[in-house]
């Protein structure tokens, strides 16, 4: 285990030149490229066996289109791999925003933990190289990023069950309901240093959309007045800061930390979760809310992709049903795990082993889930707002070429995001949330 007794990470130009972190990087760190990846992979026995053939038989292409990292696909005669390497800065912005390489360490650790609880729902890990801040994992094929499928109007019949299962298994099994307190505190300590990526979330999700920030952007001039209204909206700002407080203080479980529709890969029959580099011990509702909020962004965007009024009504209905099904699958499975496998130091099972105790525990579980739904809605609404008024927007909406149509979609999404964040405790169940979405997000525009 690496020494964590001192902080040897650097910031600014030194971080970019040296690529140093607590757990990763060092003087030998170099960003990989298509020419250097084959030699890197050839040094890993299991990877050579997966690819087959010789280095000369392998093809490499860089496919990273995200905000932070380098991503390479390596294919050989027998199979393929993905090599993901952290850069010492935010790729979306450039080297003016240094970022330690340790996010690769936390991603690898998160995948290792999550794979114990939901092994069929993540790519298989092959190797982690801390010196190069690089993870080698299974190539998922013919999977595509979920967000791209949603933009194209594709349905995924097993998506809700898979994501609900992933959320229930990973959140329950890393919580105090499942873990003895000492083990849970050890897990918290393992991820406590992922501070830089948490800071990105703390600023970009909960603070920047409600103030003037250099990296904010929106569809202008169409949303200029709307953005100004959010900067003056005391109720929204209080709600966002309430959710930020929860994010800062609620160490409930190991959360993925960035579980949007760009972090899920799918086919009609298979679903996998990727990219947990923002992972830390935080509030369960943040992961659930990220999924819900991004599905509602996809829902809102459908109006901007129609060529005739009502063309995507059936798809809107499927998205609405999917949101409900994700929550129900999660809620049912989480409560079943709580009833059947509770082994942690919270709600000690032997205290509730008589009829009265079991009834009291069931009632407490219901209140717990109601509170968790409210948290999830608050986080989901905050995520929707930041994707329109802050940095890093979503393809669902950005791909609407006509700015007036795009702005109309964005205004409805902002109104809905604000509603579920500010009024998060007013919804009795997920069906009421989906009904509100049908009322606010079903705008119909034609070109």
């Amino acid at each position: 285990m690496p020494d964590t007794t001192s902080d040897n990470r650097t910031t600014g130009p030194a971080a970019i030149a040296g690529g140093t972190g607590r757990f990763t990087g060092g003087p030998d760190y170099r960003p990989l490229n298509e020419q250097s990846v084959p030699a890197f992979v050839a040094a890993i026995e299991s990877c050579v066996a997966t690819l087959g053939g010789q280095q000369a038989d392998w093809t490499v292409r860089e496919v990273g289109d995200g905000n932070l990292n380098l991503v390479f696909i390596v294919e050989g005669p027998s199979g393929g791999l993905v090599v993901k390497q952290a850069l010492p800065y935010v790729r979306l912005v450039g080297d003016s925003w240094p970022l330690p390489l340790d996010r690769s360490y936390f991603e690898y650790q998160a995948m290792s933990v999550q794979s114990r609880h939901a092994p069929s729902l993540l790519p298989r890990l092959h190797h982690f190289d801390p010196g190069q801040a690089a993870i080698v994992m299974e190539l998922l094929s013919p999977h595509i990023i979920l967000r791209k499928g949603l933009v194209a109007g594709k349905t995924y019949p097993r998506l809700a069950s898979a994501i609900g299962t992933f959320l229930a298994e990973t959140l329950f099994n890393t919580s105090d309901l499942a873990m003895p307190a000492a083990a849970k505190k050890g897990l918290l300590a393992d991820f406590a240093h992922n501070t830089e990526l948490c800071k990105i979330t703390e600023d970009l999700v909960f603070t920047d959309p409600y103030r003037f920030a250099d990296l904010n952007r929106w569809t202008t001039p169409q949303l200029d007045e709307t953005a100004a209204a959010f900067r003056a909206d005391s109720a929204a700002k209080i709600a966002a800061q309430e959710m930020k407080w929860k994010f800062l203080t609620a160490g409930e479980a190991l959360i993925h930390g960035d579980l949007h529709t760009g972090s899920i890969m799918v086919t009609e029959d298979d679903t996998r979760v990727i990219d947990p580099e923002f992972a830390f011990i935080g509030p369960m509702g943040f992961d659930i809310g990220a999924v819900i909020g991004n599905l509602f962004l996809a829902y809102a965007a459908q109006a901007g992709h129609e060529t005739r009024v009502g063309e995507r009504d059936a798809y809107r209905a499927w998205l609405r049903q999917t949101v409900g099904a994700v929550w129900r699958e999660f809620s049912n499975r989480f409560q079943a795990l709580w009833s059947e496998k509770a082994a942690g130091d919270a709600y000690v099972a032997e205290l509730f082993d008589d009829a009265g105790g079991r009834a009291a525990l069931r009632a407490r579980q219901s209140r717990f889930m109601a509170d968790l739904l409210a948290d999830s809605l608050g986080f989901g609404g905050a995520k929707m707002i930041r994707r329109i008024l802050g940095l890093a927007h979503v393809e669902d909406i950005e791909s609407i070429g006509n700015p007036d149509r795009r702005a109309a979609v964005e205004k409805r999404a902002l109104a809905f995001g604000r509603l579920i964040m500010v009024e998060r405790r007013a919804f009795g169940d997920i069906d009421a949330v989906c009904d509100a979405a049908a009322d606010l997000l079903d705008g119909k525009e034609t070109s």
Side-chain angles (χ1 to χ4, degrees):
M1 186 73 182
D3 179 15
T4 60
T5 58
S6 64
D7 188 350
N8 69 338
R9 75 179 71 203
T10 56
T11 58
I16 295 168
T20 301
R22 279 191 181 91
F23 313 113
T24 55
D28 295 330
Y29 169 84
R30 296 290 183 275
L32 294 167
N33 55 45
E34 292 182 354
Q35 289 70 46
S36 61
V37 164
F40 171 76
V41 172
I44 306 165
E45 185 176 339
S46 65
C47 295
V48 174
T50 297
L51 293 170
Q54 306 298 318
Q55 282 193 54
D57 303 317
W58 303 344
T59 61
V60 180
R61 64 185 191 276
E62 209 277 303
V63 297
D65 61 356
N67 297 329
L68 298 180
N69 307 291
L70 293 170
V71 181
F72 302 89
I73 290 178
V74 188
E75 294 181 285
S78 301
L81 299 167
V82 170
V83 179
K84 179 177 180 180
Q85 185 186 38
L87 289 167
Y89 52 83
V90 177
R91 184 176 185 178
L92 176 68
V93 177
D95 59 13
S96 64
W97 187 344
L99 193 64
L101 301 172
D102 284 348
R103 62 187 184 275
S104 65
Y105 170 83
F106 295 115
E107 178 171 2
Y108 174 76
Q109 295 297 330
M111 291 182 70
S112 299
V113 173
Q114 292 167 342
S115 292
R116 294 201 291 270
H117 305 302
S120 65
L121 297 173
L122 292 93
R124 184 165 67 91
L125 287 167
H126 283 273
H127 183 74
F128 173 57
D129 186 324
Q132 295 302 320
I135 303 169
V136 186
M137 67 191 85
E138 174 186 6
L139 172 62
L140 299 175
S141 179
H143 298 65
I144 66 169
I145 295 293
L146 174 59
R147 177 168 285 137
K148 293 184 179 298
L150 299 180
V151 172
K154 297 182 181 296
T155 60
Y156 298 97
R158 299 188 180 184
L159 172 66
S161 176
I163 294 303
T165 297
F166 174 84
L167 289 166
E169 293 288 346
T170 59
L171 296 177
F172 174 82
N173 283 299
T174 60
S175 77
D176 288 288
L177 296 170
M179 300 182 72
K184 169 68 183 315
K185 288 179 171 64
L187 191 65
L188 190 153
D190 288 343
F191 287 89
H193 292 299
N194 200 9
T195 54
E196 287 84 5
L197 269 69
C198 286
K199 178 64 172 172
I200 289 173
T201 300
E202 291 152 16
D203 289 345
L204 298 190
V205 175
F206 301 112
T207 304
D208 284 356
Y210 310 93
R211 66 181 178 185
F212 288 107
D214 290 341
L215 294 177
N216 283 352
R217 67 179 181 86
W218 54 80
T219 303
T220 186
Q222 290 89 343
L223 292 189
D224 289 355
E225 292 184 4
T226 303
F230 269 86
R231 294 193 297 271
D233 189 338
S234 296
K237 289 188 283 189
I238 287 292
Q241 293 304 293
E242 288 171 343
M243 302 320 301
K244 185 174 184 178
W245 173 262
K246 188 90 175 181
F247 186 85
L248 290 165
T249 62
E252 296 173 347
L254 174 63
I255 66 170
H256 179 285
D258 199 29
L259 192 55
H260 52 72
T261 53
S263 296
I264 300 169
M265 296 193 70
V266 290
T267 68
E268 285 191 0
D269 300 317
D270 192 43
T271 301
R272 307 289 185 97
V273 174
I274 61 172
D275 294 347
E277 59 202 324
F278 282 77
F280 79 112
I281 308 302
M284 298 182 192
F286 190 78
D287 275 1
I288 306 163
V291 173
I292 288 174
N294 276 266
L295 287 173
F296 278 132
L297 285 172
Y299 185 100
Q302 298 308 310
H305 294 298
E306 289 185 328
T307 57
R308 56 180 175 79
V309 175
E311 181 180 52
R312 294 204 174 192
D313 282 353
Y315 195 63
R316 271 185 280 265
W318 177 80
L319 282 166
R320 195 166 58 243
Q321 292 162 7
T322 297
V323 170
V326 166
W327 171 260
R328 282 187 287 272
E329 178 70 26
F330 162 75
S331 179
N332 292 339
R333 194 173 187 93
F334 188 96
Q335 290 181 83
L337 289 168
W338 188 348
S339 297
E340 298 165 10
K341 296 187 176 181
D345 283 327
Y347 296 95
V348 177
E350 68 179 280
L351 299 180
F352 305 99
D353 59 3
D354 62 337
R358 287 190 292 274
L361 183 59
R362 285 194 296 271
R364 178 66 192 107
Q365 288 173 341
S366 295
R367 293 194 301 275
F368 182 99
M369 300 313 292
D371 291 341
L372 185 49
L373 177 60
D375 285 350
S376 302
L377 296 177
F379 287 124
K383 295 280 275 185
M384 293 181 73
I385 293 165
R386 68 76 44 118
R387 289 294 190 180
I388 298 171
L389 297 180
L391 178 69
H393 293 199
V394 293
E395 183 181 352
D396 314 67
I397 293 175
E398 291 288 277
S399 59
I400 300 170
N402 182 302
D404 291 329
R405 294 186 71 186
R406 183 169 65 248
V409 165
E410 290 171 325
K411 287 178 181 179
R412 286 192 294 271
L414 286 167
F416 181 74
R418 183 192 184 280
L419 173 69
I420 63 173
M421 182 177 71
V422 174
E423 303 295 338
R424 60 191 181 276
R425 298 184 185 89
F427 293 94
D429 54 35
I430 195 65
D431 290 332
V433 181
C434 292
D435 289 344
D439 291 339
L440 285 178
L441 297 180
D442 268 1
K444 307 287 179 64
E445 286 111 14
T446 57
S447 55

